[in-house]
Amino acid sequence: MRCPLQSAQCGSLSEASFLGRHLTLRQLRCFIAVAEELHFGRAAMRLCVDQSPLSRTIRELEEELGAKLFVRTTRRTELTLAGERLVAAVPRVFRAIDQARDAVRAAVTGREGELRVGLAGSVPAARLAALMAACSQEAPQIKLLFVEVLPEDLPGRLVDGDFDVGLSQVVQPCEALLVRPAWVEGIHVVMRIGHALSMRRRVGIEDLAHLPIVLGDGQLPPVTMNSLEAELRTAAADALQLQHAKTFELLIALVASGHAVSLMNACCAKTYRCEGVVSRPVNCTPRTITTWLVRRREDASEAVARFEQHVLARRCRHPSRG
């Protein structure tokens, strides 16, 4: 019986075999991951998904194509002849879709291209602004599109192709993604000039435990915020004077007036410094906050490479220095 995925020319997949099919890019990406790993567990880890939904996606793809793509036993997973034909055809499908998508974007935007950046967590605004300016100056034909996402959603959306690159302060392991440290910031206490702690070069967490403290929403990653609060509560013996400000204007007003001190990453502390306010590094756990650059491991596009160069070139610079 002739395999439904086999075309008239042996070893290729004809365009006609896709007619009437309702295949999705996600199904094809899942298929390629399993075909390359020949192991559903490793493929699920590579795609940053659970094994159960991955198996369900492969079953749906097999039902749509009317062919078994894998033979699974308790010891191993192997491709069927139909699976081998699909492995050979999928790269051509991806290339055609990428070309069509790029052509449509160019027609709609009137630009040569677009770089979609996913932002997860409290990415320092000053560094982000400097990065945007540098990229726009060097390649004005590339439109930068920044979209905020939840940290737990970023890996999957990168793998699915929703974003070209991501910046995140929370990293989840995923074999399909390449992760590199972009910016490392210390944690600073911000206070009014003349405050007793402003005379010190560094401030200990125990020095802050009995002071009124205001923390801004989004100023620190949630994991860092929770760790700092726990450390402060331990040092204060549950007598911590802590409040949260929804706006930066309220936070800085409380600090500048001497009503409270605040904690934020060093970049924000230096950038938002106003008259009457100073900052000092804090000895705490963790001592630093890292913003990570995340992209698909196999992505070799020039736009992503240039963006990565701009990010890494600014690892040791304060944003105000360009």
Side-chain angles (χ1 to χ4, degrees):
M1 182 176 179
R2 187 176 180 80
C3 170
L5 291 177
Q6 189 173 2
S7 67
Q9 295 181 349
C10 181
S12 66
L13 183 66
S14 68
E15 294 181 5
S17 63
F18 279 106
L19 294 178
R21 308 295 185 187
H22 300 284
L23 307 183
T24 67
L25 291 179
R26 183 174 184 81
Q27 287 176 331
L28 295 179
R29 289 194 179 97
C30 289
F31 166 75
I32 287 297
V34 178
E36 290 178 350
E37 298 291 343
L38 291 179
H39 190 282
F40 276 75
R42 289 195 298 268
M45 183 178 298
R46 169 174 160 180
L47 294 168
C48 305
V49 299
D50 292 332
Q51 186 171 336
S52 178
L54 174 61
S55 298
R56 184 168 59 252
T57 298
I58 296 300
R59 285 198 303 271
E60 292 171 353
L61 178 60
E62 290 176 329
E63 291 173 2
E64 186 63 41
L65 292 172
K68 200 75 173 174
L69 301 175
F70 296 98
V71 175
R72 298 177 66 177
T73 67
T74 56
R75 293 186 177 182
R76 59 185 178 181
T77 299
E78 294 182 344
L79 282 163
T80 63
L81 178 60
E84 292 175 357
R85 297 293 187 267
L86 189 57
V87 166
V90 167
R92 297 196 298 274
V93 175
F94 284 161
R95 283 195 296 271
I97 291 174
D98 287 341
Q99 291 170 0
R101 182 168 52 194
D102 291 343
V104 170
R105 283 181 182 153
V108 172
T109 64
R111 299 174 183 271
E112 291 184 15
E114 178 181 88
L115 190 70
R116 299 156 299 162
V117 185
L119 300 177
S122 309
V123 179
R127 292 202 180 275
L128 194 57
L131 175 64
M132 291 178 180
C135 291
S136 298
Q137 182 177 2
E138 180 182 287
Q141 75 278 10
I142 302 295
K143 180 181 179 181
L144 294 175
L145 177 62
F146 291 86
V147 179
E148 293 179 302
V149 296
L150 294 174
E152 58 267 27
D153 292 340
L154 181 62
R157 295 190 65 178
L158 276 167
V159 171
D160 288 345
D162 292 342
F163 300 119
D164 301 301
V165 66
L167 291 170
S168 177
Q169 292 183 334
V170 179
V171 175
Q172 298 176 353
C174 180
E175 292 185 11
L177 301 177
L178 180 66
V179 179
R180 302 184 67 179
W183 308 310
V184 179
E185 313 285 348
I187 298 176
H188 279 215
V189 55
V190 184
M191 69 199 89
R192 183 180 183 180
I193 288 179
H195 193 286
L197 296 181
S198 66
M199 304 302 294
R200 303 187 184 185
R201 297 185 63 181
R202 300 188 70 88
V203 176
I205 202 75
E206 65 281 357
D207 300 317
L208 303 173
H210 300 286
L211 296 176
I213 299 174
V214 56
L215 297 178
D217 289 350
Q219 289 290 332
L220 296 171
V223 173
T224 304
M225 185 83 80
N226 293 338
S227 177
L228 281 173
E229 284 195 27
E231 197 170 352
L232 285 166
R233 291 188 186 282
T234 299
D238 294 327
L240 184 63
Q241 305 173 61
L242 178 65
Q243 72 176 98
H244 290 265
K246 292 187 178 296
T247 65
F248 179 76
E249 288 76 15
L250 174 59
L251 182 149
I252 207 66
L254 290 170
V255 172
S257 63
H259 281 77
V261 299
S262 185
L263 295 166
M264 60 183 68
N265 67 63
C267 180
C268 290
K270 294 174 182 177
T271 303
Y272 297 136
R273 184 179 298 166
C274 63
E275 186 175 355
V277 173
V278 295
S279 68
R280 296 289 182 268
V282 178
N283 292 325
C284 58
T285 304
R287 291 178 179 268
T288 58
I289 304 169
T290 301
T291 300
W292 303 89
L293 174 76
V294 191
R295 65 169 175 83
R296 289 183 294 278
R297 190 174 295 276
E298 72 278 5
D299 195 328
S301 70
E302 182 178 351
V304 170
R306 286 183 176 275
F307 183 86
E308 184 173 358
Q309 289 173 3
H310 279 298
V311 171
L312 300 183
R314 282 161 174 74
R315 279 190 293 190
C316 299
R317 300 187 198 172
H318 187 267
S320 62
R321 297 173 189 162

